Amino acid sequence: MGHRRRGERHRLPPGYLDEALLALDAALDYLQAHSAQFDVVHNHSLQGTPLRRAPELGIPMLSTLHTPVLPELVDAHQIISERGSSFVAVSSYTSSEWRGAGIRSTVLPNAVDQTRWLLGGGGDDLVWFGRIVAEKGAHLAIETARLLGRRIVLAGRVGDPAYAAEKVWPLLGRDVVYAGDLRHDELAALVGQSACALVTPTWQEPFGLIIVEALMTGTPVACFDAGGIREVISGLTGTHLAPMGDCIALAAGAQTLIDTTSADPGVRAGIRSLAVARYSLDARITQLEELYRRSAVQFQTDSMTASGEAA
């Protein structure tokens, strides 16, 4: 169930949201009618409907906070007074932001399937990938690449055509190439064949999943210090932080990373190894299953307490 930021709303056909909300309600109706068949509902929706209906489902609901604070979700949670709901956040930064709005959460960082992001051999070009929207700052990656005198390849879905038309497309040329919205295997291969990935958000990034994806291919990452990015890369090799918006500092950091990895091909394998150790699906699944178990136990305890008080 998608929340569309500014500039992406045009992609939704007329009537889409109304139909999607009806489908969401139907799914929740099914869960309520078959509650005995489920232990936990894991909610990734950015709409308030699941939270508002959580108390009536008869199933504990665990919701992941992927974004900056969304008033609709805060309002929905306040209405139900936390009955039936618990939360996880993708970073300590994101957890802190939501805590300020009255929602407490356990921190559970995102994970990446290491079997789909394989070690690459590197190359000469820079790479930037993600949604082409203003908050992801592709134009700043282009500026950084030109400071380095290196070609950069951009890849990703266009989420904001107006931004792309004004800030990105006019810069395309021999040194700036748009590869399109690639299939997963194509994207992983592109990233793995790059000298360095640039991550250039203009907003406070809740996590920065593309950082981990790039590192798992052995490609170093130079990124702006925004939101949860600092904690995501803490302790990992092949990374550099630059002040937000400082393309000169980002370029200098990227050059250092490129020099280090090109001098010793084994460095890329080390970059991948640490990223896999911290962000692989295997470790995260175990943690998630424990959260599911705790949610189910707590829900049963609260239900028994409520029944006793009613009696």
Side-chain angles (χ1 to χ4, degrees), residues 196-199 210-212 214-215 219-223 238-241 257:
C196 184
L198 302 181
V199 178
I210 61 175
I211 297 171
V212 180
L215 293 174
T219 296
V221 181
C223 43
T239 62
H240 176 82
L241 275 179
L257 292 171

Side-chain angles (χ1 to χ4, degrees), residues 107-173:
V107 177
L108 186 71
N110 285 319
V112 171
D113 185 349
Q114 68 272 24
T115 67
R116 302 193 70 194
W117 294 89
L118 301 177
L119 182 64
D124 295 324
D125 293 341
L126 301 170
V127 68
W128 181 98
F129 61 108
R131 289 180 299 121
I132 299 181
V133 293
E135 56 265 33
K136 298 296 184 178
H139 65 290
L140 297 176
I142 296 171
E143 181 179 341
T144 302
R146 287 183 166 164
L147 288 171
L148 285 168
R150 285 181 178 267
R151 191 174 86 135
I152 186 168
V153 180
L154 312 176
R157 175 171 60 83
V158 178
D160 187 342
Y163 162 76
E166 179 183 355
K167 296 288 190 179
V168 180
W169 301 156
L171 302 178
L172 297 184

Side-chain angles (χ1 to χ4, degrees), residues 51 65 67-79 82 87 93-105:
L51 291 179
L65 304 174
T67 68
V69 174
L70 299 177
E72 180 180 352
L73 268 63
V74 173
D75 292 345
H77 184 59
Q78 289 174 342
I79 289 172
E82 302 189 10
F87 296 85
Y93 172 84
T94 300
S95 179
S96 176
E97 291 289 292
W98 284 84
R99 185 166 60 251
I103 293 182
R104 295 186 174 275
S105 58

Side-chain angles (χ1 to χ4, degrees), residues 19-33 49 53:
E19 292 184 15
L21 290 175
L22 287 173
L24 183 56
D25 264 323
L28 293 167
D29 288 343
Y30 181 88
L31 290 171
Q32 183 176 7
T49 301
R53 293 194 55 184

Side-chain angles (χ1 to χ4, degrees), residues 6 14 32 45-46 72-73 78 89 107 109 115 127 130 185 187 197 217 235 265 297-299:
R6 66 187 183 198
Q32 183 176 7
S45 172
L46 302 184
E72 180 180 352
L73 268 63
Q78 289 174 342
V107 177
T115 67
V127 68
D185 57 338
L187 179 60
T217 71
V297 170
Q298 186 62 50
F299 184 79

Side-chain angles (χ1 to χ4, degrees), residues 8-25:
E8 288 189 84
R9 296 182 185 277
H10 76 283
R11 298 178 64 89
L12 303 179
Y16 165 86
L17 187 57
D18 291 339
E19 292 184 15
L21 290 175
L22 287 173
L24 183 56
D25 264 323

Side-chain angles (χ1 to χ4, degrees), residues 209-252:
L209 190 63
I210 61 175
I211 297 171
V212 180
E213 293 168 342
L215 293 174
M216 283 196 178
T217 71
T219 296
V221 181
C223 43
F224 288 152
D225 188 359
I229 287 178
R230 177 177 291 269
E231 67 186 270
V232 169
I233 69 170
S234 177
L236 299 180
T237 57
T239 62
H240 176 82
L241 275 179
M244 196 168 175
D246 190 339
C247 293
I248 294 175
L250 191 68

